[in-house]
Amino acid sequence: MGSEGSALLEPLWQGLTAIDPSAVSGSVSCALPARFEAVKGARQFTGSTLRQWNIPELLDEVALVVSELVTNALRHALPGTAATPGEPERPVRLHLMRGPSRLVCAVRDPSDVGPVAGEAGCGEESGRGLHLVESFTDGWGWQPLPGTPHGKIVWAVFHLPPV
């Protein structure tokens, strides 16, 4: 992914609960409720952010990838992930980070289990999401969060169009 993408993701790998948009230029995040309606909210948040950053030409691809990553987090990471008593709830969180030449979208969730591209059969919906992510991005991956809270970040990188 290169040093720029690594630098963009470093705060997430350190397990920060949120990135303060005023502290890091070109970085926003939002917590998403544990409901499938959150996918629509994530797409709207992404669209608004990309328009503010003046890169609307990436909107369709990034919104599709964000939808897939958030759907996967809601479908696979939240069921059966009960918080330890006295521990705060760990929601799904969407992060969008813009560097000089790349856009990174990352979804943080409370599961330690990494994503696996499924083998969807003809006409099956499940299992295609990560194949779409791979097709529409310039790279993707995941990283477990060290220490507590447990969880992982699933990220995707898009090269920005030349200015």
Side-chain angles (χ1 to χ4, degrees):
M1 174 159 91
S3 61
E4 179 189 322
S6 227
L8 287 173
L9 289 174
E10 193 59 37
L12 299 175
W13 290 348
Q14 293 172 4
L16 300 177
T17 56
I19 295 173
D20 181 355
S22 66
V24 180
S25 177
S27 177
V28 295
S29 74
C30 70
L32 300 169
R35 297 186 306 273
F36 284 103
E37 298 84 46
V39 176
K40 180 179 179 183
R43 281 194 309 264
Q44 291 170 338
F45 178 79
T46 299
S48 172
T49 300
L50 294 187
R51 284 188 289 278
Q52 286 176 359
W53 288 347
N54 200 27
I55 46 175
E57 61 274 19
L58 290 179
L59 181 56
D60 290 340
E61 292 87 357
V62 176
L64 172 69
V65 168
V66 164
S67 294
E68 293 298 334
L69 296 181
V70 170
T71 298
N72 282 348
L74 294 171
R75 181 175 290 148
H76 301 292
L78 292 183
T81 346
T84 306
E87 188 177 295
E89 180 183 334
R90 300 177 313 256
V92 170
R93 183 170 282 280
L94 169 63
H95 301 270
L96 299 171
M97 295 156 283
R98 181 180 182 173
S101 63
R102 294 183 181 141
L103 171 72
V104 177
C105 63
V107 175
R108 177 182 163 172
D109 68 55
S111 172
D112 293 319
V113 179
V116 177
E119 295 294 324
C122 184
E124 291 180 41
E125 293 281 329
S126 182
R128 287 195 218 162
L130 292 175
H131 294 296
L132 287 172
V133 169
E134 188 169 326
S135 296
F136 284 95
T137 65
D138 295 299
W140 75 276
W142 71 282
Q143 176 75 31
L145 292 172
T148 55
H150 295 288
K152 69 178 172 299
I153 296 283
V154 181
W155 51 264
V157 177
F158 297 85
H159 290 291
L160 294 175
V163 180

